[in-house]
Amino acid sequence: ALEKKVIKSKAGEKIGLPCCHVIPSSQSLHNYRVYWQKNTTDVVLAYAEGKKISQHERYKNRTEMDTRNLTLWISPVETLDNGPYQCVVQHLRFSQNSVVLCDELVFLFVTAEFSKPDITAEVSAHSCESTEMVVRCSSHGGFPKPKISGALNNVSVVWNASWVSESSLSPYNVTGKLLLNVTKDISITCSIEHNGFAKSTSLLLRKINDCIVPTVPPSYNVVTASSIIIIIFLLAITLAARYLLRHVCSHCHKPQDSVEEGVKECTKPPVSSKVTSETSSV
């Protein structure tokens, strides 16, 4: 059975894939054939009798092999390098015959760091009671396909997530979307998780408080009732004014009449004096 080893690396690093055979110090690479293959079909690098006989176009200028322990070095590692590799070693005993010394699989697992999540919030509508927001969280350039999670004031939320990648082995861009009805200031957190690691970003969402209560015009019934009350009030004032004016005038006329009567009485000739004069003449 073929033994399977797993080698982990990050994109951009230099990594060595170990082979299953080490050439003794008493021998040299000239006595061997060595094949490094990917997916058991594509020849990454091959040597025969001490000379390089084949190399895959995509690995040119990025790979080399140690001539003693036959380790395959890849630098810089790309996400497309992810997958199984096979080291096949043959010993050349005679010119026409060869013996397979080992045939072993090594699995290369490549990861790429995602950018720190970026959170944006856009107000779609607001009222006195709440503010409707469209919140987006995005990250890019990572591998493999990540998970996106979040929380509102430490309470978990589920993002409406979408992923974009050129292929299954290409870096991913991820975007999460939430529709929120914010009734008070809240904190939202977005986390991007991959390969056992997570990057998080938090943002404070503030409710809009510049609420202006619209003035409600009075209804028709209210206007009508108010008009009637005002008219009755004005009529009452008018009648009261007339009544008071008449009452005051009646009091003002009485003293004047009394004075005039007194004057008339004073201007009449005294009767008693006339009688006395006539008596004296007699």
Side-chain angles (χ1 to χ4, degrees):
L2 297 178
E3 184 182 356
K4 184 177 179 180
K5 297 180 179 179
V6 177
I7 304 297
K8 295 183 179 181
S9 177
K10 291 183 179 180
E13 294 181 343
K14 182 178 182 179
I15 190 69
L17 303 181
C19 186
C20 51
H21 184 76
V22 176
I23 298 178
S25 58
S26 59
Q27 299 183 21
S28 68
L29 191 59
H30 291 79
N31 303 111
Y32 295 86
R33 289 196 188 106
V34 181
Y35 299 91
W36 271 104
Q37 302 173 156
K38 184 181 181 184
N39 299 323
T40 68
T41 55
D42 299 330
V43 177
V44 177
L45 191 62
Y47 278 82
E49 299 179 353
K51 297 180 181 179
K52 185 189 298 184
I53 60 173
S54 178
Q55 186 173 31
H56 196 282
E57 185 68 25
R58 206 179 67 77
Y59 290 90
K60 278 187 176 181
N61 302 320
R62 291 198 306 121
T63 55
E64 60 181 353
M65 190 185 73
D66 189 289
T67 58
R68 183 60 59 184
N69 60 23
L70 310 181
T71 297
L72 178 67
W73 290 96
I74 304 175
S75 178
V77 175
E78 301 174 355
T79 56
L80 290 176
D81 297 334
N82 197 79
Y85 291 78
Q86 187 176 11
C87 181
V88 180
V89 180
Q90 298 176 348
H91 188 268
L92 302 176
R93 293 185 177 180
F94 305 100
S95 60
Q96 298 296 327
N97 297 323
S98 62
V99 177
V100 176
L101 298 180
C102 70
D103 184 347
E104 186 176 281
L105 281 176
V106 180
F107 192 91
L108 177 60
F109 183 73
V110 182
T111 62
E113 292 289 337
F114 279 89
S115 64
K116 186 176 181 180
D118 180 44
I119 304 177
T120 60
E122 179 183 355
V123 177
S124 56
H126 72 91
S127 63
C128 294
E129 293 78 18
S130 63
T131 301
E132 295 180 8
M133 293 185 181
V134 179
V135 183
R136 290 181 174 86
C137 175
S138 60
S139 182
H140 62 273
F143 186 87
K145 184 178 179 180
K147 294 180 180 180
I148 180 170
S149 60
L152 285 175
N153 287 346
N154 299 321
V155 178
S156 298
V157 294
V158 178
W159 293 88
N160 183 12
S162 60
W163 295 266
V164 177
S165 179
E166 294 181 359
S167 70
S168 60
L169 294 177
S170 299
Y172 284 87
N173 296 338
V174 59
T175 301
K177 181 179 177 181
L178 283 178
L179 300 178
L180 298 179
N181 192 20
V182 180
T183 58
K184 61 180 180 180
D185 294 351
I186 57 175
S187 176
I188 185 170
T189 300
C190 176
S191 299
I192 304 297
E193 303 174 18
H194 74 293
N195 194 33
F197 298 95
K199 289 187 176 181
S200 301
T201 300
S202 297
L203 180 67
L204 180 63
L205 303 179
R206 296 186 179 275
K207 177 185 176 296
I208 297 178
N209 293 320
D210 59 345
C211 181
I212 300 176
V213 180
T215 303
V216 179
S219 63
Y220 175 78
N221 293 334
V222 174
V223 173
T224 304
S226 300
S227 301
I228 294 174
I229 293 173
I230 292 173
I231 293 172
I232 294 174
F233 179 73
L234 293 176
L235 288 176
I237 291 177
T238 302
L239 294 176
R242 288 184 178 181
Y243 173 78
L244 290 175
L245 183 59
R246 288 181 180 179
H247 184 70
V248 170
C249 290
S250 63
H251 283 285
C252 291
H253 290 163
K254 286 182 180 180
Q256 185 176 359
D257 294 342
S258 300
V259 172
E260 290 179 354
E261 291 178 359
V263 173
K264 289 180 180 179
E265 290 179 356
C266 293
T267 54
K268 290 182 180 180
V271 178
S272 57
S273 300
K274 187 177 180 181
V275 172
T276 306
S277 298
E278 288 178 355
T279 305
S280 302
S281 300
V282 175

